[in-house]
Amino acid sequence: MTGYWVSVVTEDWKFRMVTPRKGNFGGVPLNAEGRRVADRWESPKDEARPLPCSYYGAAALMRVPGRLHISWDNDTTLKIETDAGTQTRLFHFGATPSEGIEPSGQGYSVAAWEFARTGRGQPRKGDLKIVTANLLPGYLRTNGVPYSANAVLTEYYDRLRGPNGDEWLVVTTEVRDPQYLTMPFLTSTHFKKLPDAIGWDPQPCRAE
């Protein structure tokens, strides 16, 4: 999975490429409290929030259009850097969540390969599973759809090859948040691999 990838917006264009109008929560299973919080959103005021990167927290970061740089930080830690919002995620293999870890926008992510069966003599293939907790509150969408510090994020990273040889990364995301959601919020996000760092242009996080 290492290298550079660019997001290809194949679904939810109106929610990902532009800021939806206030009160447009289509597709997000918000409960009454979640709707109440989202209805209080006002973009100009959010610019001055104590957490100005709330749009770029782990629960929504992979949905933000932009580029990824995936590399190994060390033998047991996979690193994903984003040019959108200049964020960094660390996926820890062989780790267990710790209650003593300080909450942050990207939280603490525990990683594991889920290996699939293959034919004799073929290399083992596996999908990457990530479970992230210890999150600060943030937004699922740029119009103030919230998730809380109680949210738990589960992701599956699948690398695929198209008929023409293009390499794709599909990230399936499940957000569980008993404070604001009535059921898990599921999305699927697509990235295409790039030959090099072309177009890589990190930009600081900002309110949209």
Side-chain angles (χ1 to χ4, degrees), residues 32-190:
E33 177 63 10
R35 287 179 173 272
R36 185 188 70 81
V37 172
D39 281 335
R40 292 166 48 195
W41 171 80
E42 292 185 44
S43 183
K45 292 182 180 180
D46 278 355
E47 191 73 60
R49 283 169 54 92
L51 302 174
C53 293
S54 297
Y55 301 102
Y56 301 89
L61 182 62
M62 306 309 286
R63 299 292 280 173
V64 179
R67 288 169 168 76
L68 310 178
H69 179 214
I70 303 179
S71 62
W72 286 97
D73 194 50
N74 56 52
D75 288 347
T76 60
T77 307
L78 191 67
K79 179 169 65 174
I80 295 185
E81 299 168 278
T82 70
D83 66 353
T86 317
Q87 300 295 301
T88 300
R89 300 188 65 188
L90 298 175
F91 298 162
H92 305 278
F93 289 83
T96 56
S98 171
E99 295 182 357
I101 294 176
E102 191 73 19
S104 65
Q106 302 309 322
Y108 187 82
S109 299
V110 176
W113 297 108
E114 296 199 324
F115 289 101
R117 293 188 177 186
T118 57
R120 180 173 295 181
Q122 297 179 353
R124 292 200 305 172
K125 298 179 180 178
D127 299 331
L128 181 61
K129 179 182 179 180
I130 308 294
V131 179
T132 302
N134 297 90
L135 290 164
L136 290 173
Y139 292 139
L140 292 172
R141 287 183 179 159
T142 54
N143 63 340
V145 177
Y147 64 87
S148 74
N150 297 318
V152 175
L153 170 66
T154 302
E155 300 165 282
Y156 296 89
Y157 287 67
D158 300 321
R159 191 166 66 91
L160 310 171
R161 186 179 297 275
N164 63 351
D166 287 344
E167 291 188 68
W168 293 85
L169 188 64
V170 180
V171 181
T172 303
T173 301
E174 174 191 88
V175 180
R176 292 180 178 268
D177 185 359
Q179 185 167 337
Y180 292 139
L181 301 178
T182 61
M183 63 179 68
F185 176 50
L186 302 175
T187 56
S188 179
T189 309
H190 301 77

